[in-house]
Each structure stands twice: as C-alpha cells, then as structure tokens.
Amino acid sequence: GNRVTLGAPRDWEYFKFVFRSSLFGIVTLVDHLYGVHLQVSNIFTMAMREQLSKDTPLRRFLVPFTYGTIAINDAARVTLVTPDSWVPRAYPFDEEGLQLAWANAYRHLPGGVELKVELTERAFLQTIFDRKAYIDIRIESGVDTQYYKQALEYWVMLRAFVKGTFDVYYPTAADQQRFVEDAETEHFLLQAMGGIQATSDVLVIGDKSLPHAWESFRTAEKYTMVIDAITRFIDVVTTGHEQVGKVQAYAQDASFASFSWAASLRPRWAGGTGEGVLAAPKEVATGQALIMALTSTPMPDLVAAAGGEQDWSKIFWAADGEQRAQLDEVYVQFQDRLRAFSAKCQEVNEDALAAFESGQQNVAGKPLVNFGLWSHDPQYLETSVSI
C-alpha cells in the first residue's frame, strides 16, 4: 500500500489488474450476492409472501418488484453460494476463508449502515430507508459525484410514484392511520426490518425491542417510514441491481478482471516472477464466463407504456373504476418522468464522450477522461432482480 512505482510499466499494469479484479470480486460477493439478493430482495419478498394477504393493495403493488425473485435467489444459492458451486471454485478462498467472507460481508455494505455511529437511535431508524437523507449526508461530507446526483434524482421520482400510489389508496390522515396500524402492514415492515437486523446488525435500538421502537413513532412518521421502506426496496432491486449486478461486460475479458489469478504474476519484490500474462487461469476464466452467462436472465422492463402489453401497473388492486383511473394517472406520470430522466442520463454520457473525443484537457494538462454512467438510466432498468 505504500509502494510508489516509477519506471516499471509491468508493475503498474499488475497493480491496475489487481485493483480491477479485487473490486470486481468484492462487489460481486458483498454488494451483489449478499446485499441485493440474499438480504434486501430476499427479506422483503419473504415478508410480503408471509405477512400480506394476496389482495391487499400493498402486496399487489409489490408483485412487479418481486417478480421471479424466489426462483432467482434459489438459483443463486444453488449455483453461486453453496460449497463447491461456481463462485467458491472461482474465488481464491478455501472453505474457511469463504465462510469468513460471508460472515463479514454486511460490514462492507454502503448505503446507510455506516451511519449508525453518526445518528441517534431514533434518527437512524427514520434514515435507514430514506435514500435522500443518506445522499444529502454524503454530499455534505464532500462526496458530490454524478452517481449521487443521479441516484438522488431517481429516488425523488421513484418515491413520488410510491407515495402517489398509496395516497390514492389512503388519501386522508385517518386512512393512513388505519393502514400503518393494520396488523398485516405492521407485521410486514417489522419482519423486513427484523430481517435486515438479523443479517447486518444494522439497527440500533438500545434496550427496546423493534416493535416497541416502532410504536414510539407518530402515525405520520410511520406512514413516511413505510413509504420510504417500500421505495428503498424498489430502488435496490432496480437501479441497485443494475449498478452491482449487471457486470457481464467487465467479465468478458479475463485479462481485464478476474476472480483470482496465479501468485506467480506478482512482481519479483512481492514474491512472484514478474512475468506471465495478466489474466485468469483457464479454469477460472471458464467458470467466470459461465457465471456471467447465468446472470443474463431478463426481467420485465421498468419503462413500460401505460396500457401496453408490458404495463405492469395492471396488476395493482383497485376498488372501482374511479380509483383505477387515479392509479393510471400516477403510473403515466411516473413513466413520463422515467423517459425524461433517461434522456437526461443519455445527454450526460454523450457530453462525457464528446469531451474526450475533442481532446479537452484537465487542470494537469492531461486528456480529460469523463466516464459515462448507465446504472440509473431507466431504459436499462428492470422491475426485479435477475442473477
């Protein structure tokens, strides 16, 4: 970590290969497999299936965002998690090392876990699912990137859709109180929060139980927390999965990134030979290609025209024609905003490419490299997780 390499091109190429490969491996194991699949999507889908009646508005609303999740996560468990499956064979861990990696994965998940030492218990419970509050904290700390700007814009648009939909179902304060105090709603949220707690030790509730902490909030606060929890779940399985799970392009070339590589490739001063092709061994490259092929299962597109064949809002529960018309209006507004945001994302990427191709330079006089960002562009997002 303290070595500075000057005039050793091969060492520099090795460092870059190791950095790309290490990041690729960590994100696949921690953020993708553990965070998105085994934790968030699994926990919310289980809570929905176990606690919500099949014709409640909340369950019907969640169906598009949990579509195929049980089958997908079961396939991930069998092919990527169990001993001697594809990931254990490709990673450079023995059985004990892999178990240690799984046991510590939650400690490395970003997105709110780290805030439990910065906020009061009550504030943390309100913030853990509030993506805007988290991004505001990150931006105020100086992490003001294009990623967070797009993440915030997507969150605001997504939350408006979720809140707009449930405001149709529960338009008055009395309606919202009945909703959040309904036994099924409470059990759903508490099971989801309890699952997050069990798999990450994320909630700080002192001597109080989770149900007791929930009861300490006012009705309006509970309604906000339910909306935020639903929105955050959808955020993770759509753009979150696109960010950490759609990595096929990075794994196509085993010399660009690899789950593991031979120790002999290290520089001589690090105990290697300093020679050989910087790439995965054939066995790892083949396994890596098979894993990436498995990740290509398509799910329904998030952008789907109202009334069209792919319109996933048709499954939403409605009491009558008037309520259906209100729900359709909210959905149409959401789809319009998605398309407008997609055009904005494409413009950002076109500007980045134009700056590079025009030969613009940065303050150091080097070529300006401004990489594009596709993880929030709605045209690439799906409603639920694939592997």
Side-chain angles (χ1 to χ4, degrees):
N2 296 322
R3 187 176 184 88
V4 177
T5 300
L6 297 175
R10 206 275 182 183
D11 287 0
W12 177 234
E13 291 302 317
Y14 175 79
F15 293 151
K16 290 191 291 183
F17 173 74
V18 169
F19 173 79
R20 292 192 303 266
S21 299
S22 299
L23 181 63
F24 175 55
I26 290 172
V27 168
T28 297
L29 183 78
V30 174
D31 301 77
H32 183 201
L33 273 177
Y34 187 89
V36 174
H37 284 280
L38 302 182
Q39 191 187 65
V40 175
S41 68
N42 211 42
I43 287 168
F44 272 84
T45 301
M46 288 174 60
M48 180 198 77
R49 292 288 294 265
E50 294 176 4
Q51 302 299 342
L52 300 177
S53 301
K54 63 183 178 66
D55 286 327
T56 58
L58 177 53
R59 175 157 176 168
R60 293 277 286 272
F61 178 81
L62 289 172
V63 166
F65 309 106
T66 58
Y67 175 77
T69 297
I70 294 175
I72 287 293
N73 286 349
D74 182 57
R77 177 187 64 83
V78 171
T79 59
L80 305 179
V81 178
T82 55
D84 295 326
S85 60
W86 292 354
V87 163
R89 288 175 180 270
Y91 274 64
F93 302 129
D94 59 16
E95 187 173 344
E96 181 181 0
L98 196 63
Q99 292 304 316
L100 288 171
W102 285 121
N104 288 278
Y106 77 89
R107 300 179 188 275
H108 304 284
L109 283 172
V113 176
E114 69 274 25
L115 298 181
K116 69 179 182 180
V117 298
E118 301 178 25
L119 302 173
T120 64
E121 296 174 3
R122 186 178 181 85
F124 183 76
L125 280 172
Q126 291 177 297
T127 303
I128 185 60
F129 293 123
D130 186 348
R131 184 70 166 159
K132 181 180 184 305
Y134 173 78
I135 293 174
D136 287 343
I137 292 172
R138 295 298 92 182
I139 290 177
E140 289 173 5
S141 70
V143 188
D144 188 6
T145 63
Q146 182 63 227
Y147 173 83
Y148 278 128
K149 290 175 182 177
Q150 291 190 12
L152 180 57
E153 190 166 349
Y154 179 75
W155 167 267
V156 171
M157 163 180 15
L158 183 59
R159 190 182 187 281
F161 168 62
V162 175
K163 186 176 185 303
T165 300
F166 282 89
D167 283 352
V168 170
Y169 292 129
Y170 311 105
T172 69
D175 293 329
Q176 293 169 11
Q177 182 174 0
R178 284 194 296 271
F179 172 57
V180 298
E181 292 181 355
D182 178 78
E184 289 195 3
T185 304
E186 285 191 342
H187 293 164
F188 164 76
L189 187 65
L190 290 176
Q191 179 170 327
M193 295 178 73
I196 298 294
Q197 169 71 352
T199 56
S200 65
D201 192 30
V202 67
L203 303 177
V204 184
I205 55 177
D207 297 328
K208 298 179 180 179
S209 66
L210 192 55
H212 189 281
W214 167 253
E215 290 302 327
S216 70
F217 291 100
R218 299 189 302 272
T219 297
E221 293 173 323
K222 289 180 179 179
Y223 187 68
T224 296
M225 291 171 69
V226 171
I227 297 299
D228 285 342
I230 296 169
T231 307
R232 182 60 175 141
F233 163 67
I234 299 172
D235 180 59
V236 169
V237 301
T238 55
T239 185
H241 189 266
E242 180 70 24
Q243 169 73 3
V244 302
K246 295 297 185 70
V247 295
Q248 299 95 317
Y250 305 111
Q252 290 178 5
D253 185 350
S255 67
F256 180 80
S258 171
F259 285 136
S260 58
W261 54 93
S264 61
L265 297 179
R266 297 172 182 169
R268 288 189 176 88
W269 52 264
T273 64
E275 299 176 349
V277 177
L278 294 174
K282 286 189 290 186
E283 297 85 354
V284 174
T286 302
Q288 193 168 294
L290 289 171
I291 292 171
M292 293 306 117
L294 184 67
T295 66
S296 301
T297 48
M299 291 293 139
D301 293 331
L302 185 66
V303 177
E309 184 179 347
Q310 303 299 321
D311 180 354
W312 40 264
S313 71
K314 292 183 288 188
I315 199 171
F316 294 171
W317 184 89
D320 50 39
E322 180 181 356
Q323 191 171 74
R324 171 60 63 189
Q326 292 176 309
L327 293 170
D328 288 345
E329 182 179 355
V330 174
Y331 178 78
V332 168
Q333 290 176 353
F334 178 55
Q335 290 295 324
D336 289 343
R337 290 169 180 167
L338 286 175
R339 290 186 178 87
F341 181 53
S342 179
K344 187 174 181 180
C345 292
Q346 293 174 57
E347 184 178 347
V348 169
N349 292 336
E350 290 169 359
D351 289 346
L353 180 61
F356 174 73
E357 291 180 340
S358 66
Q360 293 185 33
Q361 296 182 336
N362 59 23
V363 293
K366 301 292 185 180
L368 181 62
V369 180
N370 217 0
F371 296 102
L373 183 64
W374 290 267
S375 56
H376 293 98
D377 188 340
Q379 69 173 317
Y380 301 117
L381 303 184
E382 297 171 328
T383 61
S384 55
V385 294
S386 58
I387 294 182

